[in-house]
Amino acid sequence: LGYSLGQPEVLTEWLEALSTAKIRVRGVYSPALLAENAMQRLEIKSKGVVVLVTPHRAGWRQCVMVAGKLRFSRLAMIGSEQEADWAATLQAETEKLHDYLLGNGLLKNTSTFMEVFYVQPDSQFTATNALPKQQGEGHTYTCLSAAEVKKRLRLQSPAGTFTSAESFYVWLLALRQPKAQLAALRFRQIDVSKRIAGALFLVGLTIFIAALIFAAFSFYRIYSIEQES
């Protein structure tokens, strides 16, 4: 957060994507908090070690999940030259991550390999540079193009183009906003109180309209009886 406040341009693409999609966000979310939701929405059903890689301006976000649960997340700082040769960079960063997870005991042994899913922006995708599905020393790589992501998220006509991962996470927030977030509890309580107040207003309005209808119906019955007599 401190880095973002010192470098406001990091937030620009997020804010532009939210503004374009016209999405109201009720909280503070990070890609790591949305990773489990992303795995479900992308229909990734593996019970092994899955790494979801999403490219951002600040670097590549790597979210490690085991049996669908987030276990680790890091931001790999990627230069423009490395991003140009993204296929080789993806494999190299995966090996770095694999070694780190082994060193910290998050992976049991060297024979435990990972399934890597790389969310690929439109700017990188062409028919000639797609990464083969099986690469590296036992790791499995799957690239998800913008068209594939839209298909798996079941989006009909999402706003904007898929130029980076920011728009991918904005689409996720448009579909569902998880309860877990980074906002302070007191701010979440304010939001809940507003929802409760809105719900009570709707209930009161419904009762008021029902009372008006009942009064009008009763008045009509009394008027009908008087006319008959």
Side-chain angles (χ1 to χ4, degrees):
L1 179 59
Y3 175 80
S4 299
L5 293 175
Q7 305 286 334
E9 61 273 10
V10 174
L11 298 175
T12 301
E13 192 162 354
W14 287 96
L15 297 176
E16 289 177 351
L18 286 169
S19 177
T20 301
K22 299 180 179 179
I23 297 172
R24 180 188 176 189
V25 179
R26 297 184 178 89
V28 180
Y29 299 94
S30 68
L33 285 178
L34 297 172
E36 293 181 12
N37 184 30
M39 186 173 175
Q40 295 174 1
R41 293 287 182 176
L42 293 174
E43 301 175 358
I44 301 173
K45 300 179 180 179
S46 172
K47 293 184 178 180
V49 181
V50 172
V51 182
L52 180 64
V53 183
T54 51
H56 304 261
R57 288 183 181 180
W60 288 4
R61 173 63 58 181
Q62 296 173 305
C63 295
V64 181
M65 287 162 285
V66 179
K69 298 297 182 182
L70 181 69
R71 291 292 179 262
F72 179 75
S73 178
R74 70 181 285 265
L75 184 67
M77 308 305 289
I78 305 297
S80 57
E81 293 183 358
Q82 293 174 295
E83 191 168 0
D85 189 9
W86 63 267
T89 300
L90 178 61
Q91 295 177 61
E93 290 298 327
T94 299
E95 292 300 332
K96 289 182 184 178
L97 178 63
H98 187 251
D99 292 341
Y100 177 83
L101 296 176
L102 283 171
N104 285 273
L106 295 176
L107 294 182
K108 295 181 180 179
N109 51 60
T110 56
S111 61
T112 303
F113 296 107
M114 306 182 296
E115 297 178 63
V116 182
F117 290 84
Y118 180 69
V119 178
Q120 190 176 47
D122 285 329
S123 58
Q124 290 182 354
F125 183 78
T126 66
T128 58
N129 71 353
L131 186 70
K133 188 169 183 178
Q134 196 73 33
Q135 289 275 338
E137 300 176 358
H139 302 304
T140 301
Y141 296 84
T142 303
C143 282
L144 301 175
S145 65
E148 181 65 22
V149 169
K150 293 174 186 177
K151 179 181 177 181
R152 295 196 183 194
L153 294 184
R154 295 180 176 84
L155 296 175
Q156 300 299 323
S157 55
T161 57
F162 186 52
T163 55
S164 70
E166 277 77 0
S167 53
F168 165 67
Y169 285 108
V170 167
W171 292 344
L172 283 177
L173 287 173
L175 294 171
R176 177 175 174 269
Q177 296 181 20
K179 293 182 179 179
Q181 55 167 290
L182 299 175
L185 181 60
R186 64 189 184 94
F187 292 113
R188 281 181 274 171
Q189 289 174 339
I190 291 173
D191 188 62
V192 170
S193 65
K194 287 183 178 179
R195 293 186 189 182
I196 294 174
L200 291 175
F201 173 78
L202 290 176
V203 170
L205 182 61
T206 302
I207 294 175
F208 177 72
I209 293 174
L212 285 178
I213 295 174
F214 178 76
F217 180 73
S218 299
F219 178 79
Y220 175 76
R221 288 187 61 185
I222 294 173
Y223 177 78
S224 299
I225 293 172
E226 290 180 352
Q227 290 294 323
E228 291 177 359
S229 60

